[in-house]
Amino acid sequence: MTDAVLVLEDGRTFTGRAYGAEGSTLGEIVFNTGMTGYQETLTDPSYHRQIVVMTAPHIGNTGVNDEDVESGQIWVAGYVVRDPARRASNWRAARTLADDLVAQGIVGISDIDTRALTRHLRERGVMRAGIFSGAALLDDGGGRAPHDELLDQVLAAPAMAGADLAGEVSTASAYVVEPIGEHVATVAAVDLGIKAMTPQRLAERGVRVHVLPSHATIDDVLATEPDGVFFSNGPGDPSAATHEIELLRDVLDRQIPFFGICYGNQLLGRALGYGTYKLGYGHRGVNQPVMDRATGKVEITAHNHGFAVDAPLDGESVAPHDAGRYGRVVVSHVDLNDDVVEGLRALDLPAFSVQYHPEAAAGPHDAAYLFDRFIDLMKDPENSQKGAA
């Protein structure tokens, strides 16, 4: 087995073995606490340009199948695991995880202390990192490359703050996901890094979903004759998404019912005039407790975000944009671990959003009701928001 080295931006180094493709990769290193769903994690476009550390020690046990992917490729920049499975053991497995990583050129590292690494990232915050193996670990003379040279490559990598990445993962052209059963509504879904399960969950409820590229205009949206507009999850810094924010304001100005998740929640926050900020190490996993303040119910939810909305937690506030033209807003959901804003609800507009993933293919389904709430909003924009209060 080939040696591999993980180098963090602050100089800390972990030595292990190559897992997946050999070579080098750079990105922001983050950790995921999910004990299941590694295939969905790898193919989630929100992980674009990120090196993902799995805190669960055994990865790859059930192999890889062709049904559970969330997109057409693996999006992570690199992969870090403690103990990769030597063989796949599941009746649905079509191949091993290692084979998929090699086939798609994903550089990874195994056999390192992922617990120590995770604790380090919790204390210091996520940062840039690089994985090096094979020829990328050697200098011109064939010896081991000096640590300082590897660190220089890491420090030269772009930071996540200020990155506008939705256009790099969005669909190139529009497509339609047809409703299952009776057609009840039509939704224009702006793909900022959408997961396949999201339009599927809408289609299961009778929604025809027009999935549009991130560069779609308001004319493109209106051409679908939508009953509602949806903004998906996706990678990058929401403060850099100027086009998408202006598109969302065009939607709000027309009083079209709106639902956003994850990145879409952050963009609603910015469209309303609130700020966003980068979390120290983010929320990534399938075990985050969130309270729905409308019902008092606590949901166990799936997360993948490194940025959050900066909005008043208590009571109503007037959306700051353009002297308050969008009216009153409340924080509808809050994370019980750290009081991070996990949802927004406009009181004078038919619009709401959550920071987490109600589609949650590999996680809990506690939040699936939010798709039903969106349908209710489209059917009765004036009264459904009052009912959620």
Side-chain angles (χ1 to χ4, degrees):
M1 298 181 71
T2 305
D3 288 344
V5 172
L6 170 67
V7 180
L8 303 184
E9 178 181 340
D10 64 1
R12 186 163 181 180
T13 298
F14 294 81
T15 300
R17 298 185 182 277
Y19 181 54
E22 294 180 12
S24 66
T25 188
L26 303 169
E28 180 184 64
I29 188 165
V30 302
F31 60 88
N32 183 301
T33 60
M35 297 185 69
T36 186
Y38 59 79
Q39 184 172 338
E40 290 88 345
T41 294
L42 288 165
T43 55
D44 180 351
S46 296
Y47 282 113
H48 178 45
R49 264 182 45 183
Q50 292 183 318
I51 296 171
V52 176
V53 182
M54 300 301 293
T55 62
H58 302 293
I59 299 296
N61 307 57
T62 55
V64 172
N65 61 58
D66 295 318
E67 293 79 42
D68 294 342
V69 293
E70 290 287 3
S71 66
Q73 68 178 80
I74 295 175
W75 282 104
V76 304
Y79 205 43
V80 183
V81 302
R82 172 68 182 91
D83 187 11
R86 296 183 181 182
R87 62 182 63 85
S89 181
N90 186 274
W91 67 275
R92 299 174 67 222
R95 54 198 171 275
T96 68
L97 175 57
D99 288 342
D100 245 23
L101 295 173
V102 171
Q104 298 193 44
I106 306 301
V107 176
I109 184 173
S110 68
D111 295 88
I112 71 167
D113 188 344
T114 51
R115 177 171 176 150
L117 174 56
T118 300
R119 288 174 65 90
H120 186 77
L121 295 176
R122 279 181 59 93
E123 294 170 0
R124 302 291 182 90
V126 297
M127 61 187 77
R128 291 169 294 178
I131 303 173
F132 306 90
S133 61
L137 195 52
L138 305 178
D139 60 20
D140 293 338
R144 178 68 65 89
H147 174 269
D148 288 348
E149 290 186 8
L150 301 179
L151 180 58
D152 286 343
Q153 293 184 53
V154 173
L155 295 175
M160 189 60 69
D164 184 8
L165 301 179
E168 298 180 13
V169 301
S170 179
T171 182
S173 57
Y175 61 92
V176 179
V177 178
E178 292 293 344
I180 298 172
E182 180 184 359
H183 173 238
V184 301
T186 297
V187 166
V190 179
D191 176 7
L192 309 171
I194 200 167
K195 294 163 67 176
M197 190 54 68
T198 303
Q200 173 66 22
R201 294 295 188 220
L202 288 168
E204 290 169 355
R205 290 164 168 81
V207 176
R208 175 173 293 112
V209 185
H210 292 262
V211 182
L212 306 179
S214 64
H215 61 255
T217 66
I218 188 62
D219 289 336
D220 296 327
V221 170
L222 296 177
T224 69
E225 299 182 357
D227 299 298
V229 173
F230 173 83
F231 271 28
S232 78
N233 60 290
D237 185 340
S239 68
T242 54
H243 166 74
E244 292 86 349
I245 292 169
E246 289 306 314
L247 172 60
L248 180 46
R249 285 175 177 156
D250 285 336
V251 171
L252 299 178
D253 290 340
R254 287 165 172 78
Q255 297 276 322
I256 304 172
F258 172 81
F259 177 33
I261 66 170
C262 198
Y263 199 55
N265 174 70
Q266 297 161 18
L267 295 185
L268 177 60
R270 295 200 69 91
L272 294 172
Y274 299 105
T276 50
Y277 63 98
K278 199 170 191 309
L279 295 167
Y281 49 85
H283 299 164
R284 296 174 182 89
V286 295
N287 53 358
Q288 295 280 337
V290 168
M291 176 178 284
D292 181 345
R293 288 175 154 184
T295 63
K297 180 181 177 181
V298 176
E299 307 158 14
I300 302 303
T301 58
H303 288 220
N304 175 15
H305 66 108
F307 292 85
V309 176
D310 185 11
L313 285 176
D314 297 319
E316 301 174 3
S317 63
V318 176
H321 178 67
D322 195 19
R325 84 174 194 228
Y326 291 134
R328 299 163 300 150
V329 178
V330 295
V331 171
S332 59
H333 296 73
V334 65
D335 193 295
L336 296 182
N337 284 334
D338 53 14
D339 289 333
V340 165
V341 172
E342 294 292 344
L344 298 170
R345 181 165 57 87
L347 300 181
D348 301 309
L349 291 172
F352 75 104
S353 60
V354 294
Q355 184 58 64
Y356 49 97
H357 291 268
E359 80 288 349
H365 296 162
D366 295 20
Y369 71 92
L370 290 165
F371 292 112
D372 300 313
R373 184 175 288 182
F374 184 34
I375 292 173
D376 290 341
L377 180 65
M378 289 186 285
K379 289 180 177 178
D380 191 359
E382 293 186 4
N383 294 318
S384 63
Q385 287 291 71
K386 296 177 183 178

